[in-house]
Amino acid sequence: MKRSILRTQKRNIEYRSRGGPTWPPRATIMNEGNHTGLPLPRSSSRQGWPSPFGVRHSILVIRYSLSLCALTFVAQAGAQVFLPGMQPKESGIEFAKVQQCQMCHARTRNGPADPFLSWQSGMMSQAARDPVFRAALAIANQDIAGVGEFCLRCHAPRAWLEDRSKPADGSALNEEDMHGVSCDVCHRFVDPLSDEARKLIKYVPPGYGNAMMVADPANVVRGPYDDCEGAMPHNTKKSEYHASGNLCAPCHNTSNPLQVQDVNAAPPHTFGHIERTYSEWVLSEFAGQGRQGSCQSCHYQTVKGGGQASRFGSLQRDYFVMHGPVGGSIWVQDATFLLWNGKDMDQKAVDLGKQRAAEFLKTAASLSIKSSGPGKAVLRITNLTGHKLPTGYPEGRRMWVNARFLDSSGTLLKEIGRYGPKEDTLFGKPVTAPTLLDPEQTRVYECLPAISEAQAKKYSKKPGKSFHFVLNDFIAKDNRIPPKGFKNSSFAEHLSQPVDAAYADGQHWDDVPLELPVGCERVVVNLMYQPVSWEYIKFLAEENKTDDWGKRLYEAWNKTGQCAPTVIAEADAKL
């Protein structure tokens, strides 16, 4: 075996090529005795992998003898992030075009449950177009050059698997990649920890998460049935994986791979918390309820009376679902449609998606108000979901209590959790923007990642709460309400424990004390939810020094309702 060493300030990277010119080469980061495998930077040679003379931004010192050719690289460590799972073009992967799926699965007799229409209504179909993602991607690549390829693995999985995820800004994505998590991609997924996956890939993931996905290179789509009929351009296979919450894990349990020593050994939930929705679910009571408690049971709503998958006389199915997963997005659809001029989108689907999300959010929580003594009351917020409330990518996402205290005539005596216009600046110029006006007076549920003193010094940033998600290295606050079945020790193992808040084991509610003003006889409470705050919009606009996605997002935000919060639960009590 021939070896070369890439030397950086803090670690040595050992280059191996087995048996001479074997491609692709691998590298192992040696740090305190641990080894992390990662691919060397790609170039145009040898099927996209670098020849020893093609490593960008490196100084090569070549010493040659008849017996050994030793290469010494002096290079700055970049963001070439290796993660196990299927690698680009591994097993010869190639997906069908969305138009091919549309030919059979659009214009069916299912109405809003039409497979293609309902898929278009979900944000997974817009994952690569989403302007909030695009703006955040630019800043991530500014903070650590090239790290955006890690983001593209989930937002444009077809591009990753078919080897178009470089450059890391997404500029190489083609028309098919822009469909985000497209039909054929999702229906070809294989359980990455299964024996079937082991036959397809070289690097088996150590656990579910971190975009470590595996897809079947064969023309076989997976789902709840394998007895399909008719002239189909593909084969079918029944898949228990597609009925399991594990299907959602690769892109909904994400951790910063730059904050772990060995990605081949460390399960994603054990390091670098970015998002923990899957962990929250798998540690909840719902995960033990089988299909009835799966992610799909809520987010892929079943269609009453069943339906037909194809417009060409396919079998009537009693079990039939909306193909676009519904979530908490009720604004970004409009911003996406505006910025992409509706290209390859459907206004009917956009409106359907917003309507479904608004209705879905109403099922997330319940409220009750009880008197607790003279001049006092308690608001109880119960989490009805299978994960934390709220959950998901935390930056800019929040939920809070809006309470109005009224006298016997209905006159407003006091209000907390007020939302309205506030004077601020953007690019140094005065602006008026809507936001939560009194966060210190109410209870705001949120997860706030932050940058440590050491990390801030290393990257020339301010320490503390931060929207720089690839630089954040600890959680400063997480008071979101846990799901049913919550256990402190289990959540701590997944780095998802409450921070700056306390919940007892089994507690899936929060009690908020309310101070009643003199003369108060009635309390009206609205539980407010906002997926993207003004503060995050401002950050994405001002911090972007690379392209115009931040500015374009701000302009679209201004033209599409400024992501106004929505009421997800209400309570009205006379005291």
Side-chain angles (χ1 to χ4, degrees):
M1 176 185 291
K2 300 179 182 179
R3 297 185 176 183
S4 304
I5 305 296
L6 282 74
R7 301 194 182 277
T8 67
Q9 291 181 345
K10 294 186 178 180
R11 40 190 178 174
N12 294 332
I13 301 178
E14 180 179 80
Y15 168 86
R16 292 190 177 106
S17 64
R18 299 177 180 176
T22 300
W23 302 83
R26 309 276 329 152
T28 299
I29 295 181
M30 296 175 290
N31 188 356
E32 300 177 4
N34 293 284
H35 295 71
T36 302
L38 79 165
L40 293 172
R42 302 183 195 180
S43 73
S44 59
S45 64
R46 297 278 190 118
Q47 298 177 348
W49 293 91
S51 71
F53 304 97
V55 179
R56 202 174 288 180
H57 307 306
S58 302
I59 300 173
L60 284 77
V61 181
I62 304 175
R63 299 188 179 99
Y64 177 81
S65 68
L66 292 176
S67 59
L68 177 68
C69 176
L71 302 176
T72 302
F73 297 83
V74 182
Q76 179 180 357
Q80 296 295 329
V81 178
F82 169 78
L83 286 164
M86 183 164 276
Q87 304 303 305
K89 287 190 173 296
E90 189 170 13
S91 296
I93 194 76
E94 186 175 344
F95 297 99
K97 294 182 178 181
V98 167
Q99 282 185 328
Q100 292 176 268
C101 305
Q102 185 179 10
M103 289 174 62
C104 296
H105 302 291
R107 301 181 299 281
T108 64
R109 300 175 182 177
N110 301 293
D114 177 88
F116 192 78
L117 176 67
S118 61
W119 167 74
Q120 281 190 306
S121 76
M123 280 307 299
M124 284 173 63
S125 68
Q126 309 304 333
R129 299 186 184 98
D130 180 350
V132 178
F133 160 67
R134 288 285 180 152
L137 177 68
I139 295 173
N141 282 319
Q142 286 173 189
D143 289 339
I144 300 179
V147 76
E149 189 178 22
F150 171 54
C151 311
L152 290 171
R153 289 173 72 135
C154 277
H155 282 265
R158 183 187 186 119
W160 160 253
L161 293 169
E162 291 187 350
D163 200 16
R164 288 182 298 277
S165 54
K166 289 182 182 294
D169 62 358
S171 57
L173 269 58
N174 66 21
E175 185 174 332
E176 292 300 318
D177 303 329
M178 296 306 300
H179 290 294
V181 186
S182 56
C183 321
D184 201 37
V185 171
C186 191
H187 280 282
R188 294 250 218 118
F189 280 153
V190 173
D191 186 334
L193 305 187
S194 67
D195 290 339
E196 182 181 9
R198 292 174 183 273
K199 297 175 182 178
L200 297 172
I201 60 175
K202 183 176 181 181
Y203 303 98
V204 178
Y208 292 115
N210 257 21
M212 295 184 292
M213 60 192 72
V214 178
D216 188 351
N219 187 25
V220 179
V221 299
R222 289 161 161 75
Y225 302 103
D226 60 2
D227 59 343
C228 302
E229 295 180 356
M232 298 178 296
H234 56 72
N235 294 316
T236 59
K237 184 175 183 179
K238 186 174 182 178
S239 169
E240 290 300 323
Y241 179 57
H242 282 72
S244 162
N246 296 337
L247 174 71
C248 310
C251 291
H252 294 281
N253 234 38
T254 53
S255 302
N256 193 330
L258 303 178
Q259 294 177 12
V260 67
Q261 294 179 344
D262 190 350
V263 295
N264 291 296
H269 65 263
T270 62
F271 61 89
H273 178 164
I274 293 177
E275 179 187 345
R276 284 291 184 276
T277 301
Y278 172 76
S279 282
E280 295 160 16
W281 169 79
V282 82
L283 299 175
S284 77
E285 183 178 297
F286 294 88
Q289 297 176 1
R291 289 193 178 189
Q292 297 303 314
S294 68
C295 309
Q296 293 89 328
S297 68
C298 284
H299 294 276
Y300 286 83
Q301 297 163 331
T302 55
V303 178
K304 187 176 181 179
Q308 291 180 304
S310 170
R311 64 191 180 99
F312 294 118
S314 63
L315 295 172
Q316 173 71 20
R317 303 296 191 181
D318 293 333
Y319 175 73
F320 193 77
V321 302
M322 300 284 284
H323 274 63
V326 62
S329 294
I330 52 175
W331 159 76
V332 76
Q333 294 96 326
D334 289 334
T336 305
F337 194 91
L338 177 65
L339 288 173
W340 292 94
N341 296 315
K343 179 175 171 54
D344 294 325
M345 298 177 68
D346 184 333
Q347 185 65 63
K348 182 180 178 181
V350 168
D351 294 340
L352 174 62
K354 291 170 57 183
Q355 175 191 337
R356 292 175 60 212
E359 294 171 353
F360 187 63
L361 285 169
K362 296 286 188 180
T363 68
S366 65
L367 306 182
S368 64
I369 304 172
K370 292 183 178 181
S371 176
S372 58
K376 295 182 179 179
V378 173
L379 166 69
R380 172 163 289 190
I381 306 170
T382 302
N383 179 4
L384 303 179
T385 75
H387 43 64
K388 285 187 178 182
L389 182 67
T391 190
Y393 181 74
E395 277 78 359
R397 192 185 302 265
R398 59 190 179 183
M399 181 180 78
W400 71 89
V401 173
N402 168 261
R404 291 178 292 138
F405 304 89
L406 312 173
D407 66 12
S408 59
S409 67
T411 301
L412 180 65
L413 301 175
K414 177 184 175 182
E415 182 180 5
I416 61 173
R418 295 178 295 116
Y419 186 84
K422 178 183 177 180
E423 298 302 315
D424 205 338
T425 61
L426 186 69
F427 302 115
K429 297 180 180 180
V431 296
T432 301
T435 190
L436 177 60
L437 299 176
D438 58 346
E440 68 287 344
Q441 299 297 323
T442 189
R443 187 157 297 182
V444 183
Y445 298 93
E446 57 192 348
C447 177
L448 298 179
I451 301 179
S452 65
E453 292 278 354
Q455 188 85 330
K457 184 177 181 181
K458 180 179 179 181
Y459 290 99
S460 301
K461 302 295 182 184
K462 292 181 179 180
K465 298 170 185 175
S466 157
F467 288 136
H468 290 273
F469 84 92
V470 297
L471 302 182
N472 295 329
D473 56 351
F474 76 100
I475 302 298
K477 174 188 176 184
D478 187 354
N479 69 335
R480 297 172 298 168
I481 305 173
K484 197 172 185 179
F486 167 74
K487 188 176 180 180
N488 279 282
S489 59
S490 299
F491 272 63
E493 289 175 2
H494 286 239
L495 306 184
S496 192
Q497 68 273 23
V499 178
D500 196 27
Y503 292 95
D505 286 355
Q507 184 177 345
H508 60 284
W509 63 85
D510 190 33
D511 289 333
V512 182
L514 300 175
E515 297 291 332
L516 308 181
V518 176
C520 177
E521 294 193 11
R522 181 183 171 201
V523 180
V524 178
V525 174
N526 289 324
L527 187 60
M528 312 299 294
Y529 170 73
Q530 186 176 43
V532 184
S533 67
W534 153 246
E535 289 75 15
Y536 191 43
I537 292 290
K538 177 180 178 178
F539 166 83
L540 293 174
E542 290 187 329
E543 287 294 316
N544 190 329
K545 315 298 182 185
T546 305
D547 54 34
D548 63 350
W549 269 111
K551 292 180 180 178
R552 293 174 64 196
L553 173 64
Y554 168 69
E555 292 168 357
W557 174 81
N558 261 325
K559 296 176 181 178
T560 55
Q562 300 177 318
C563 194
T566 187
V567 178
I568 64 174
E570 305 170 72
D572 189 334
K574 291 183 178 181
L575 302 172

